[in-house]
Structure formats: C-alpha cells, structure tokens
Amino acid sequence: MNWFYFSSPSTFYGLAGRLAPWFFALAAVTAVWGLYLGLLVAPTDAQQGEVYRVIFIHVPTAWMSMFLYFVMACYCGLTLVFNTRLSAMMARAIAPTGALFTAVALWTGSFWGKPTWGTYWVWDARLTSELVLLFLYFGFIALSNAFEDPRRGDRAAALLAIIGVVNLPIIYFSVQWWNTLHQGSSVSFKGTSMHVTMLTGMLVMSFSAWFYAAGAALVRVRSIILERERRAQWVRELKEG
Amino acid sequence: MARDLRLAWRHPDEIILTLAFFALVASLFPLGIGAEPQLLARIGPGVIWVGALLAAFLALPGIFAADFIDGSLEQMTLSPHPPLGWAAGKIAAHWIISGLPLTLMSPLIGLQYGLTGDTLLVEALSLALGTPILSLLGGACAALALGARGGGMLLALLALPLFVPVLIFGAGAAEAQATGLAPTPHLSLLAAALIAALVGVPAAVVAAVRISVD
Amino acid sequence: MYWSSWDAFWAMGGHAFFVWMSFGALFLALAVELVLLRVRRIRALGDIEEERELEAEN
C-alpha cells in the first residue's frame, strides 16, 4: 500500500468524507452503550454517592484532551520535518476539538469537585496544568490564524505545539509528583479499585470520545482543505454538496 | 553575541525603565489590597514574582523587533555565524534588561513587604534561576509571533501559559522558606528547568526565526 | 437496572444539579461544535461557488 497516496489533500478529502460518518455512527452507538452502563446499570459509589457518575464523562474527556494534544503535536512534527501540507491541516482540524474536550474536562471536574471537595476550583497541580493545556490549545489556534500566509501559520503554530508538549507529562504525573486534592488514577495495569461495570462504562465512553473526535477532525479537515485549495482545479470540479 | 550584550549595556535607560515598572507594580498591591504587615509578608514573594514575570513579558517584543524591521534578521539566518550563538546573545540581552536588574532589586522590594533575611536571599536566588528561563521561553514565543496579527495580546496568550510553571516554583521557593520549609526542592527543580531550557530553547528560537523570515 | 424509579434517577441521590450540569455542558458543547462544523462547511462550499461565478463572468 502506498502510504503517501492519502497524504495529498485531494485524495484525503474523499477518504475523510467516507470515513467521518462511520466514526460518528460508532461514537453514537458507544455513547448510548456507555451512558446506559454508567447512568443506569452501574451501582452507586460507597463514598461519594451518585455524584461519582460524572466520572463517565470527566475521565474520558480528560484523557482525550491530552491524547488529542499528543496526536496534534505528532502531526506538527511531520509538518516541520517533511513540510507536508496535510499534516498541518490535520493539526488545525484537531485543535478546536481538543480545546473543547479540555474545557469540558475542567467544567465537569469542577462540578464534581464542589460536592466532593467542597469547592469548584483549587489551584493544585492537576487543575492548573490542565488549564495551561487549554491555553496552549488557544495559543495554537490563535497563532495558526495570525498570518497572511497560512503556511507560515502552520509552521509557527507547529513549533509552539511541540514546545508545549512538555506540559503533557506534567499533567499526567501531577497527581503522583505533588500532594494534591485531586485523587490519583483508579485504573492501572495491575488491577483496579473499581467495580467492573464502572470500569467498562468508562472505557466505552472513552472509545466514544475517541470516535467523536476522529469524526469531528475529519469533517473539519475537509472544510480546511476546501478553504486552502479553493483555487485548485480538483476543487473546481467537485460536484455540488 | 558580544555586540548584543554591549548594546544592552550601552542603553541603561531600558534597565531603569524596567526597574521603575517593577517598583510601580510592587507598590500597586499594598495600595489595592491593604497594607497590613502580615498580609504583605504573606503575598510578598508572589507579588515580586508576578512583577518580574510581567516585566520580562513586556520586554519581549523588543528582542527581535528592530532586527525584523530592518532586515538584519534575514541576513543573520543566511550568514555563516553560528545562529545558536546569535540566538543566545539576543536572549542574554533580554535577560540583562529584565531578569538581572529585577533579581538585584528584589531584596529592596522584599524589605518593603516585610520579608526577612533568608527569605530575601531565597527570593533573589529563585529569580536568578527563574528569570533566564522566562527570557528563553519568551524569546521563542517572540520569534514565533514576529509579523503576526494580534500583537501583544497574541504574545501574552503564547508566553504566559509557558511562564506559569516557572512562577509556581519560583514563588514556591521563597514561600517555603518564609513558612519554615526547605526551599531546596523548588530551587533544584528551577535549576533543572533552566539547564533543560538552555539546551533546548535556543534551537527552537533559531527554528522560529527561520520560519518567520521564510 | 440500578434505579428503582425514574424520579430517583433524575434526583441522582440529591446531587442532580452537579451531575446534570456536567452531562448537560458536555452535550451542549458537542451540539455547538457540530453546528459550527456544519456552518464552516457550508461557508467553504459557498466561497468556492462564488469564485466559480466570478470566473464565469470574466
């Protein structure tokens, strides 16, 4: 298989258009399944009561906020090393969805924190570094749109994203490195402190978030390709719709 | 590199402006929040660090702006001079007009806030280790934002989030000292971050300048 | 099924406000993003159409 075949925007435009509906469909199915497990089937938490059910959206969105930044930074690396156009467009397409998941993770976290910790917000390492992640996404979006020449925006924002990668391990390990109010991870490879239904629900919701993010990024990259290649012959020949 | 440093020394007015800005910012807090000695001693280390961070930020556009406009930036990327040394010179010049005078002046501001001997020393030490990191990270952001729309606001959005960890550990060191804890963990982390930034950031600055003159 | 009644489900053991503010915000955010994606696509296609017409005139 020729991997470079799909690295041209014109061929990727078609591929993304065919894949996106499948990702959205999978996201919807897994979301229904995950919400059914999380909201209707899973038993209550002995310590926190029903409010723990926020975990089924808080943890998947928080994971995705970091994972999407990592994927975006990988595309940015490709942009800087190989100067490929499509990778820069993919990074631009991922950033808004990543920022959205980061904002939702912070929001749900604070509505979970209020009844369990007694406060909507604490300035501990985990929350602060996640907030910094949100501003890195905003900075990436702002910088990529700040130049007349979109190729310059691509490359400048790519370098910024790569500098910002140092924040990811800080977020991930912050609950181990510092004594914070935020609890440590309850999922590990050695075993888990959670009920099986809870764990399944959380993982299913994480897959749903992943499918949704993939679908949204593919739909957005199609618009970006159209905007950037407006004057290209193949765009002119596209059928309406 | 030597030329940039000489230029920085030859224009002491910039250093004086930085110091005046720092003193003004530091005096706004007692006027705005209230001047009880206990409160001031509590917020002192943080206020000094925030002032240093803002002063470093405001000096950022000056690092490359003149060279960008007169085209010598473009020449520099073409010249046989090692661009890493050139980038390091630019950043060092920024540190001389922002970080260095602030570090030297911080004990004076600290006294105004009622900080005592050891805390003043730790505060100055944390600034000495931390402000070069601000100059390095800020220099990379200033290079990325060259010729961008949005000016100062864009630069703030890029640089301030990256400054946050430095602020936390810098202010944390003096605060630990003031509350009777050991400041060494914070200071070692700052030192490690400084070494990492010294190794990595000049290359990023050169890459950013290359992007901006492309 | 864990719940004994739908009322108990909506009440979430007295934490309804916090649980539904979280889930509501997520679904609102996703809805907004999907609308924005749609708008952006329509706008991109409209720009191409405009350009085509301009060219046809010349």
Side-chain angles (χ1 to χ4, degrees), chain A residues 53 55 213:
Chain A
R53 288 177 200 278
I55 200 175

Side-chain angles (χ1 to χ4, degrees), chain A residues 128-193:
Chain A
T128 308
S129 52
E130 184 78 4
L131 187 65
V132 168
L133 182 70
L134 182 63
F135 283 114
L136 284 174
Y137 275 121
F138 287 160
F140 177 90
I141 296 169
L143 189 63
S144 64
N145 292 324
F147 299 95
E148 288 297 325
D149 174 12
R151 297 290 294 139
R152 245 202 88 184
D154 285 347
R155 296 174 64 75
L159 192 57
L160 177 74
I162 287 171
I163 295 172
V165 166
V166 289
N167 189 41
L168 287 186
I170 298 182
I171 304 178
Y172 192 79
F173 294 110
S174 55
V175 283
Q176 295 163 29
W177 290 347
W178 288 282
N179 249 333
T180 67
L181 206 50
H182 197 287
Q183 63 171 351
S185 173
S186 31
V187 185
S188 74
F189 291 110
K190 287 189 204 120
T192 142
S193 54

Side-chain angles (χ1 to χ4, degrees), chain A residues 216-235:
Chain A
L218 288 176
V219 169
R220 189 175 288 112
V221 84
R222 273 162 66 85
S223 297
I224 294 173
I225 291 173
L226 289 182
E227 290 160 10
R228 296 283 273 290
E229 309 258 300
R230 207 171 4 178
R231 293 185 179 79
Q233 193 55 38
W234 71 269
V235 173

